[in-house]
Amino acid sequence: MRHLLYFLLICPVLLVTSCSQNQESIFTRYRTVFQIGDQPEWATKNLNARQWEKRMTLVPDGQIFWSRTKIDILKAPETLKPYGLRLEVYGEYEVFWDGVLIGKNGNPGQEADLPPEGKLWTTFTIPTHLTNAGEHVMALRLSNYYYPDHIGNYGLKIDYYDDLLTDRLIQNSYMHVFAGAFLITAIYFLFLFIGNKKEYPALIFSISCLLFFGLTMTHFVKTTVPIHYSLHVVRLEVITSLMFGISFLIPLYFSMQFPYPKWKLFLGIYTAILLFIFSIEHHLFDLTILNMTLSLLLFSLCIAVFGVYKRAKGALLVLLTLLLCIFIRHYVSLNISLFTGFSLILLNMLYLLSLRIKEQRLAYENSLVQSTRLRLELLKKNIQPHFLMNTLTSLIDWIEETPKKGVLFIEALAKEFDLLNQIENQTLIPISQEIALCRAHLEIMEYRKEVNYSWEEEGINPEQKIPPGILHTLLENGITHSLPLKDNSIKFKLHFESSADYDCYTFLTYAEIVKQASAQRQEGTGLKYIKARLTESYHDQWELTSEPAHHGWKNVIKIYR
């Protein structure tokens, strides 16, 4: 867990390093102008485009239209290292540089008749003799059949052609390592949850890491998978949906770690706000993602403040991290702040889980120590001088009065001690062995107290395993704290039932209960022993209730799957 935490801590550093751009710009871009129509001379460098539209909102029916962008090259390229041009454009197009065709992406003007062709992100090389320092013009001959209202400025970058290709591959290699770390984390904590299905924070953290993995891969898929511009909105829909899931799960996780009054109500209100943000102006994807991110930070910040107020472990670190995320969002771009902030938040979630796992491990180790101590105390209780003296006194009386029954008494006593010796060091034993121990104990107590004890069982699977001594302890409690009925009898009944979620043992005592002993029964050594044994074998996946009933006493043990 510690090594995983350190590794994921390095990931945001790699992310920021891969996304940082410190190099000096080699070009200046001016405003793009547009014109509907199709004339070859519009590609020339010295065309007078003063009458062209500075903004165009709609080009219907897949018509051809042109765009022209004036670009100043600030310095000429090095020898044998041509400049390249990387474009992100909605549409299929031809690109001209100073009137020379340098590349084609799809079939402009034929989109209605031909299948989609070309990529949304494309890199072209610019001939060296056309990249001298000074003014140049890039002209695009376009058609936008699938999204005629997506007309406007487009992504443009000029750099050395080799660098344009390799920089993005290097960046994607960092991001694949980054995403893979969270995928492995998601799988690891998913298996932890499968092993302990009550650990819902581990499940939420696993799903959050999985969604973040999907978000990272979908965002950076543009280099490894060619995407036509008609599919770009599908990609944005996937990104927005993943963002919605992350924005919901992170506050849910913090609500479970730092519970506050009426947290389910406030979480419901927050979900309604997220749904409103997701549905209103949904086509403005960047705005939707930004609003969901801000809502996530503000709501999580309120939860962390409450956690700090309650002095919850890890709450102060979460609060400082959220404040750092807000600071990062204010000073860097949305993409960098998004991935850096989420990675830091997920690291905090991992830290909180590590604290939880540590507490559970310490509790389990303490339960083992307590179980050993209580096991010795229980064994001592069964062979203590008071028990032996009363048993031996009863044995003397039976031998003097009825030697044959005295021999049976000795055999029952030997059988119980033999069974106790067999199970004392076991973690789980067949329930048939536990029932045999209970019957042997009842036989002894019947000789000692001259009370008619009876034992019944229902629905028992003899191969089912339970911690040793827990039914014997309940039986001993029932004998100690009960008085016989009017017919001088006490009956014990064990009932078993199973469901998809848990196994349930119901232990019933039919007798007159001593009232002053009822309160003491909840805190006695016997019940402490039972709880320690259940924790040792099932961690926290069990439940024990012990309460009076109209027939005497009722004990219920539920063991969850």
Side-chain angles (χ1 to χ4, degrees), residues 29 64 90 124-125 137 142 178 194 199-200 212 241 357 374-375 395 407 415 440 474 482 501 517 540:
R29 172 184 177 177
I64 294 288
Y90 271 87
F124 304 97
T125 183
V137 172
L142 308 102
F178 176 75
I194 293 175
E199 267 308 305
Y200 293 109
F212 190 58
S241 300
I357 292 173
L374 290 172
R375 185 170 62 236
L395 180 59
V407 172
K415 182 179 180 181
L474 293 176
S482 303
D501 299 325
D540 59 347

Side-chain angles (χ1 to χ4, degrees), residues 15 27 41 52 77 123 127 168 175 214 259 265 275 286 311 329 332 364 389 408 414 422 443 473 508 542:
L15 171 65
F27 74 102
E41 61 269 21
W52 284 34
T123 304
R168 182 164 286 187
M175 297 312 301
L265 173 63
L275 289 172
D286 286 347
R311 298 183 179 181
R329 174 64 197 95
V332 301
Y364 176 66
M389 287 298 297
L408 296 176
Q422 292 178 26
E443 190 175 353
T473 303
L508 304 174
W542 58 271

Side-chain angles (χ1 to χ4, degrees), residues 523-537:
E523 303 296 332
T525 302
L527 287 182
K528 289 181 180 179
Y529 169 79
I530 294 172
K531 292 178 180 179
R533 276 296 200 179
L534 290 171
T535 302
E536 178 187 18
S537 298

